[in-house]
Amino acid sequence: MSRSLRRGALAATAVVFSIASLAACGAGKDAQTLQIKPDNAAATKGDIKVQNALVITQAKADAKGPAAVSATLFNAGIKEQTLDAITLSGGKGKVVLKPAAGTGKVIVPAGGSLVLGGAGNASAVIESGREAVKDGNVQKVVFQLSSAGDVELEAFVVPATGQYAGFGPTAAPAAGAGASPSGSPSTTPSGSPSGAASGGPSGSPAGTPSGSASAGAGH
């Protein structure tokens, strides 16, 4: 190859690299859109960021009973905020909030986080469950914070199986079951008068969905 041809080949190569560099620079911040994003819903408003939001239904498709909202809320501010309510679009089912301690307000601490769902954490139980949401759908969920206001996002609806098993609700009590949970020993000893055990089945509430879900999901 002659010297002039070699110079021409080198010049052509330089042009190709220049075009590639310009294309990369031209992408700018838009190049971030090519990055892999998390599957679960997230949204930010003010100091509050909601991540990994899901609506989790009963594990079995034909099971009736409550569902649960699972999410993590981060507070980047210097003041704590309370999670006052969670609502679903279209008024689909009442969501009952309960702190990890069982009573009081559900608080997102300043500079900290609040976890909804899982053992030992706060809970958000959708009482109507299967009637309100359907597996595979995307459900609009609104988190109402004391200072940040409404934080809206669209969460996937998934059954409490696999990696979600520990965050979902328990199954509803079987029809016709007594007040005591299935398999629980009777508090009335054999042969004792029926009214002797004050804490027996007759004094127990007849299967509360919200209580069952909180215990089962760790909510």
Side-chain angles (χ1 to χ4, degrees), residues 57-67 128-131 133-135 159-160 169-173:
T57 63
Q58 299 289 328
K60 295 183 178 180
D62 58 348
K64 296 185 179 298
S128 55
R130 192 64 77 176
E131 294 77 18
V133 292
K134 303 296 181 184
D135 292 343
T170 57

Side-chain angles (χ1 to χ4, degrees), residues 33-130:
T33 61
L34 300 178
Q35 297 176 0
I36 297 175
K37 297 182 179 180
D39 289 336
N40 298 340
T44 301
K45 185 176 181 182
D47 292 328
I48 297 295
K49 182 173 186 178
V50 182
Q51 284 188 332
N52 299 323
L54 292 165
V55 176
I56 305 177
T57 63
Q58 299 289 328
K60 295 183 178 180
D62 58 348
K64 296 185 179 298
V69 177
S70 178
T72 303
L73 286 75
F74 297 92
N75 182 358
I78 59 174
K79 293 183 179 180
E80 70 178 29
Q81 295 194 40
T82 57
L83 177 59
D84 296 327
I86 296 178
T87 59
L88 308 181
S89 63
K92 292 183 177 180
K94 179 182 178 183
V95 181
V96 178
L97 291 174
K98 187 178 292 185
T103 57
K105 296 180 178 180
V106 179
I107 296 174
V108 189
S113 62
L114 165 73
V115 178
L116 292 174
N121 298 320
S123 65
V125 175
I126 306 170
E127 292 183 327
S128 55
R130 192 64 77 176

Side-chain angles (χ1 to χ4, degrees), residues 3 15 42 88 130 132 156 172 178-179 200:
R3 184 177 300 175
V15 169
L88 308 181
R130 192 64 77 176
F156 288 114

Side-chain angles (χ1 to χ4, degrees), residues 6 25 29 42 98 105 110 119-120 137 146-147 160 171 177 185-187 189 195 207 209 211:
R6 282 198 298 271
C25 293
K29 294 182 180 179
K98 187 178 292 185
K105 296 180 178 180
N137 286 354
S146 56
S147 296
S186 171
T187 56

Side-chain angles (χ1 to χ4, degrees), residues 177-210:
S180 296
S182 177
S184 299
S186 171
T187 56
T188 306
S190 176
S192 298
S194 58
S198 58
S202 60
S204 302
T208 346
S210 59

